Amino acid sequence: MFTVLIRTIILYFIVIFSMRLMGKKQIGQLEPFELAITIMISELASLPMQDTRIPLIHGIIPIITLLLLQTILAIIQLKSEKFRKVINGQPSILIKDGKIDISQLRYQRFNLNDLMEELRLKGYYNIEDIEYAILETSGQLSIIPKTSLTPVTKEDMKIESSQDLLPITLILDGKINYDNLKLINKNPSWLNHKLKQNNIKEPEEIFLALLDSKGKFYFQKDIKK
C-alpha cells in the first residue's frame, strides 16, 4: 500500500510538471496533437499506479518522451508556418456575409444544428446578422457580427459606417505571406513601402504585421531584433 502511495505521488508530480511545460491552455483550446499527447500521458501515468508489477521507470520514460516530442513540435511550429498548417490545420470560414458556406460545413463535418447552437450560445439568433463565423483550429467558433448590428448599434443611432473586414496577416515571424498579399490585391513592393514608412528595413524585424478590420496597417517588431 505504501509503495502504491509513493508511486502515485511521483507520477502525479511528473504529470503536473509535464502539463505546465505544455503551456497554459484550457482543454477546449488544445490543438489536436496537444490533446492526443495529453490523453496519452494520462494513460501512461495510470498504468503504473494501478499495477505495481510495472516498473515505475516504464511509465516515466514514455511520459518524458512525449513531453520532448510536444516541445520539439511546438518549436518547429514557431519557426515554420507550413508545418503549423500541417499539424494544426487552418481556420475555416463557415459563414460569410450572412450566408452559410455549405461546402465548408460538410468538409469540417460540422452539422447545422451544432452551428445554430453555437450561434445562440454566443447571443446571435439570425444568420444574416453575422459577417463572419470562423471555426478555429482549436474547435472554437469565432463570430464577427455585421458592424451595423454591434451593440450599441450604429444602425439604431442612424450613423453611417463601413463594414469591418477580416484581418489579414501579412508578416508572421519575419516571413511574408504572399498568398495573403494576393488576397488583398497587393504586391511585395506595396508591403516594402509600408515598412519603409515605419522605418523598418527588413521583414525579419517584424514579429507580426497585418491589415486590421478597419484596413489599417498594424505591426509589432520582434523583441529579438
Side-chain angles (χ1 to χ4, degrees), residues 168 170-171 190-198 200 206 208-212 214-220:
I168 302 293
L170 303 178
I171 300 176
W190 172 86
L191 182 57
N192 288 330
H193 179 67
K194 283 289 185 182
L195 295 178
K196 289 180 180 178
Q197 283 183 333
N198 291 279
I200 299 167
I206 298 296
L208 173 67
L210 53 80
L211 281 184
D212 64 16
K214 301 295 184 183
K216 181 181 177 182
F217 183 74
Y218 167 87
F219 71 94
Q220 182 176 336

Side-chain angles (χ1 to χ4, degrees), residues 19-60:
M19 295 297 101
R20 288 288 289 111
L21 289 181
M22 285 178 63
K24 297 179 180 179
K25 285 189 178 181
Q26 298 178 7
I27 293 299
Q29 296 175 331
L30 292 176
E31 302 293 350
F33 84 98
E34 293 173 327
L35 180 60
I37 289 177
T38 301
I39 294 172
M40 292 172 70
I41 287 177
S42 65
E43 288 293 327
L44 288 168
S46 64
L47 291 175
M49 288 183 191
Q50 299 170 4
D51 192 348
T52 56
R53 294 172 299 177
I54 300 176
L56 190 60
I57 195 68
H58 287 184
I60 294 175

Side-chain angles (χ1 to χ4, degrees), residues 11 24 59 85 104 106 112 115 136 165 168 214 221:
L11 288 167
K24 297 179 180 179
K85 289 180 180 179
Q104 274 296 322
R106 290 172 177 169
L112 189 57
L115 176 62
E136 306 292 355
L165 303 174
I168 302 293
K214 301 295 184 183
K221 287 188 175 183

